[in-house]
Amino acid sequence: MPDSSTEDMTDLKDALVSVLPSIRVPRAGDRVYRDECAYCFHTPETDSGLYICMNTFLGFGRPYVERHYKKTGQRAYLHLRRISKPKSDDTNTGTGDPPRKKPTRLAIGMEGGFDMSDEQCEFEEEVKLVILPEFLEIQRDELASLPDMVRDRVSSAIDAILSADSASRKQEIQAWDGEVRQVSKHAFNLQQLDGAPRIPPSGWKCSVCDLRENLWLNMTDGAILCGRRYFDGSGGNNHAVQHYRQTGYPLAVKLGTITPDGADVYSYDEDDMVLDPSLAEHLAHFGIDMMKMQKTDKTMTELEIDMNQRIGEWELIQESGVQLQPLYGPGYTGMRNLGNSCYLNSTMQVLFSIQAFQRKYVDCMEQIFQKASGDPTQDFSTQVAKLGNGLLSGEYSKPAPERENETLEQRGLQHGIAPRMFKALVGKGHPEFSTNRQQDAQEFFLHFINMIERNCRSSSNPNEVFRFLVEEKIKCLVSEKVKYTQRVEYMLQLPVPMEAALNKEELCAYEQSRLQAEQEQRPPPELVRARIPFSSCLEAFAAPEQLDEFWSAALQAKSNALKTSRFASFPDYLVIQIKKFTFGLDWVPKKLDVSIDAPEELDLSEFRGGGLQGGEEELPDVAPPLVTPDDPKAPILDESVVTQLVEMGFPAEACRKAVYYTGNSGAEAAMTWVMSHMDDPDFAQPLVVSGVSTPAAVSAGGDPPSEEHVATIISMGFSHEQAVRALRATSNNLERAVDWIFSHIDDLDAEAAMDLSEGRSAADSVSESGPPAGPRVRDGSGKYQLFAFISHMGTSTMCGHYVCHIKKDGRWVIYNDQKVCASEKPPKDLGYIYFYQRVQS
């Protein structure tokens, strides 16, 4: 009688031979997903391991591998399981972990940088071949008994899968390095003046103000001058940058950072820290022997790290120094920081605390997975649903293994989830969100909202909870006639009126102490924050704004006008951004360090607009000309705004386009357009207006608009004609077209009415009986309750850290990446973005 084990082996061989044609060896362009399931956050470290399809190289957890088999018929999978064990440390003397090293490099996951992993274990790896649907298992050592051709093919595939860079590794560089610098374009042809001074090895001071620290040597003429002044009053007096503006000499090296290994070199022309391969030669021109120099001053990286860590708001916002109660379970799942991804983590934690997003993606997860494309890792709805389920299921909300000698901040950390696939997909193709640099949470929120708009063309749209209409009233001060317009918004941006500070005397005393400390070269005094009432921010939003170059349709000429803004509708959830980030007098971005105590309850009813009032007379509904009679091809632009933008260093043509596309609506709107379109390929190309006479008229020439882009805009509630016009006006750029259509919606509606009066078909314009085309908005009471806020720590949106606080089950919870705890003192006065929920009457 044959041995049963021999029969089993024969069955395995037969099964393996039957799937052999489907087994592939990964090629250079293949993405191998061996770190994470495409539908959930199972990894090889999960108890059931990860199944990797040996044909598509997609990874699946045990709950989803059969789904893939049934959908594709693929039977062969590589099963990968890693079992953790304590890491052996021969260098450990039994005294516990060594103390954490102070970071010396502005990097994450690199030597000298911030340590985000703290791995204290190593893994044993179990690898076997599994054939579905029977789940037949073949160990690697059992392959030796197979025929040579079968063994070689299967072994080659297994080895290639295990050795290939995983997809997550390719999509995300886990080590983010803020010190990566490019070679300056001036490095190889730098002008150096004859008769340059000999620079001593020490004893330097600024040639203007006698400062003896933060000194920069201009490498063209040898001038030694102090650097920029920092937000807290430290640093220099801006004499080095002023020298560049006067001379145009571009490169400077920071004295005190010169060593045989290099130095800090700044290019004023390129506005960045740079590399100078000819540094030794350039320094020798001034008698400086680079090989003999020693470091005596902090590098710019060290200064930025110190600055970020000394800001008092870090401890307040993170509630450091307090033993917080860790929370676990559904809705309390932490998210790993993938290298400056805290802006994404905080935003998504808040969004998936809102029922509309839960219903859209988590409640309908199975239907979404069923409809997913062949590659679920590239399907937007699949990855959003996967993330939402990961956060809400509670499956991954478990304590991380205890560590020896844990610090207070390390206690309560979770395994949490690592949103690698989600981040790679939503950032794909974006010049900023595809990188591992720190980003602005507000910009990411709007980017994600835009992605949802594109992917909810014919289904329910959770964005509707945020949409609201702003009513703008413009009153011509000469004719006293008015014009009412409405625009769609997803976020209310509130200015910070510093003049409304409640502690002005305290601020003046602090400023005097700070200046005195600066003159005496002492450390600055303890920071005093301006306390601004939240009501003052609302009043600043609602206050009339003077328009000096308003084209009055009543006068057919320019006049002065007043513009006021009110709510035309109130959304279910009102998102409020406090505009803390601004530009200083030297146009250097800075953050306003203010305290604004956001109220728990908010009533905005008094700010609701009422449309045309009795006794008001409307301005004629005639679009202003964008061309003058003298020069039909020269748009009328507010040159004062153009000049302001040019003085900030932006290309003149880009500034002209910014003013044009924002309809001469002021410097702030134009600046927002510039920041949104800096990465456009035609950003600095000349503004082209093809003989038009109204804002909506565009050239009929050029490439036809993309049907996909047209469909996207139509899905947002606009007509086909409006979509085509917007795309033609913006060279078929979807994001710019959406901006354009919102800024010209009134002119488009007026043209649609004119089309009807001239007998054109209703199919080509807006319905005569229906309301103006536009995205659907909800409306209700203007009474709200605070339910979440996102806080930022650091000097600018490009550095620092984000956390969020969310009110759940009657208590405040802090979400700080992998740490989820009950909040003791939620710092509501230091928030950056606030989320208010309508109070149901």
Side-chain angles (χ1 to χ4, degrees), residues 372-663:
S373 61
D375 184 353
T377 68
Q378 302 303 304
D379 185 83
F380 177 80
S381 294
T382 294
Q383 292 308 311
V384 177
K386 168 186 168 179
L387 178 67
N389 185 61
L391 292 174
L392 299 177
S393 66
E395 181 179 357
Y396 309 98
S397 179
K398 299 172 183 176
E402 290 188 7
R403 306 161 47 101
E404 294 183 7
N405 302 319
E406 279 184 338
T407 66
L408 196 63
E409 286 73 20
Q410 290 171 327
R411 293 174 189 166
L413 286 178
Q414 300 184 7
H415 272 303
I417 59 176
R420 295 188 183 95
M421 285 186 189
F422 174 80
K423 182 177 183 296
L425 184 60
V426 298
K428 187 176 181 180
H430 192 281
E432 291 299 331
F433 300 126
S434 60
T435 72
N436 274 10
R437 295 190 292 268
Q438 184 62 282
Q439 305 298 335
D440 187 344
Q442 178 253 0
E443 291 182 1
F444 177 75
F445 170 80
L446 293 177
H447 170 71
F448 184 67
I449 290 296
N450 190 36
M451 292 198 76
I452 290 179
E453 293 290 352
R454 298 182 192 181
N455 286 275
C456 293
R457 297 173 181 173
S458 57
S459 59
S460 61
N461 189 337
N463 283 349
E464 290 181 13
V465 300
F466 297 130
R467 277 198 211 120
F468 63 98
L469 294 173
V470 172
E471 174 189 284
E472 281 193 351
K473 169 187 171 182
I474 298 179
K475 180 179 181 180
C476 172
L477 294 180
V478 177
S479 68
E480 296 195 345
K481 295 182 180 181
V482 298
K483 177 182 180 181
Y484 283 88
T485 60
Q486 291 184 350
R487 69 174 188 269
V488 175
E489 293 286 0
Y490 292 89
M491 176 181 286
L492 177 66
Q493 295 182 309
L494 289 185
V496 180
M498 297 298 292
E499 65 278 5
L502 300 175
N503 55 339
K504 291 179 182 176
E505 292 183 2
E506 193 178 356
L507 288 169
C508 289
Y510 164 76
E511 184 63 17
Q512 290 177 355
S513 299
R514 187 190 65 76
L515 290 173
Q516 187 175 354
E518 181 180 305
Q519 292 171 355
E520 299 173 0
Q521 298 186 8
R522 292 186 289 104
E526 185 176 349
L527 178 68
V528 174
R529 288 191 179 87
R531 289 187 286 111
I532 312 293
F534 191 86
S535 58
S536 297
C537 298
L538 285 171
E539 290 167 4
F541 156 75
E545 177 187 349
Q546 179 85 22
L547 301 179
D548 296 328
E549 295 289 329
F550 173 70
W551 179 272
S552 172
L555 306 175
Q556 286 295 296
K558 289 184 178 180
S559 77
N560 293 330
L562 286 180
K563 181 177 76 172
T564 54
S565 298
R566 293 292 185 269
F567 288 90
S569 69
F570 288 116
D572 292 349
Y573 287 83
L574 179 63
V575 186
I576 298 178
Q577 177 203 14
I578 303 297
K579 298 173 69 174
K580 289 186 174 183
F581 298 98
T582 182
F583 289 92
L585 294 176
D586 54 358
W587 297 110
V588 175
K590 68 175 185 178
K591 179 180 176 181
L592 300 176
D593 202 345
V594 295
S595 170
I596 302 174
D597 198 4
E600 287 269 1
E601 296 182 353
L602 184 63
D603 188 351
L604 299 174
S605 302
E606 64 178 293
F607 297 103
R608 182 186 281 275
L612 190 67
Q613 301 297 303
E616 290 183 334
E617 185 179 352
E618 284 191 280
L619 283 162
D621 193 8
V622 179
L626 281 178
V627 295
T628 63
D630 298 331
D631 185 359
K633 292 190 178 180
I636 296 176
L637 301 177
D638 188 337
E639 292 299 333
S640 64
V641 176
V642 174
T643 301
Q644 275 184 269
L645 297 177
V646 170
E647 288 177 349
M648 294 170 61
F650 298 110
E653 290 299 337
C655 300
R656 287 169 57 79
K657 286 198 284 191
V659 175
Y660 173 79
Y661 286 122
T662 55

Side-chain angles (χ1 to χ4, degrees), residues 181-193:
R181 298 171 185 173
Q182 304 298 317
V183 173
S184 171
K185 64 182 181 182
H186 302 287
F188 299 108
N189 57 359
L190 181 69
Q191 177 189 11
Q192 292 193 289
L193 303 183

Side-chain angles (χ1 to χ4, degrees), residues 750-779:
E751 287 188 2
M754 189 177 297
D755 290 345
L756 289 173
S757 67
E758 293 176 357
R760 299 180 191 174
S761 69
D764 294 328
S765 55
V766 182
S767 168
E768 186 175 13
S769 59
R776 291 188 299 272
V777 294
R778 303 178 185 179
D779 196 7

Side-chain angles (χ1 to χ4, degrees), residues 131-247:
I131 299 175
L132 267 64
E134 301 88 352
F135 282 89
L136 299 175
E137 298 182 356
I138 304 176
Q139 305 294 332
R140 289 192 77 177
D141 55 9
E142 294 176 339
L143 296 175
S145 61
L146 297 174
D148 292 347
M149 183 184 70
V150 177
R151 182 187 65 240
D152 291 347
R153 182 176 178 85
V154 175
S155 296
S156 297
I158 292 175
D159 292 341
I161 289 173
L162 295 177
S163 62
D165 273 345
S166 67
S168 62
R169 179 66 183 177
K170 288 181 178 180
Q171 291 166 347
E172 284 189 10
I173 302 173
Q174 294 299 320
W176 171 82
D177 189 359
E179 286 191 74
V180 174
R181 298 171 185 173
Q182 304 298 317
V183 173
S184 171
K185 64 182 181 182
H186 302 287
F188 299 108
N189 57 359
L190 181 69
Q191 177 189 11
Q192 292 193 289
L193 303 183
D194 296 333
R198 311 295 286 179
I199 306 300
S202 61
W204 315 293
K205 66 178 182 179
C206 175
S207 60
V208 177
C209 66
D210 291 341
L211 272 183
R212 294 182 177 273
E213 59 183 14
N214 191 19
L215 298 175
W216 294 79
L217 169 69
N218 189 290
M219 290 196 289
T220 293
D221 62 1
I224 297 177
L225 299 155
C226 60
R228 299 181 195 262
R229 178 171 297 185
Y230 304 135
F231 76 100
D232 61 353
S234 62
N237 292 316
N238 298 319
H239 289 138
V241 68
Q242 289 172 11
H243 183 69
Y244 161 71
R245 289 171 182 162
Q246 294 166 0
T247 64

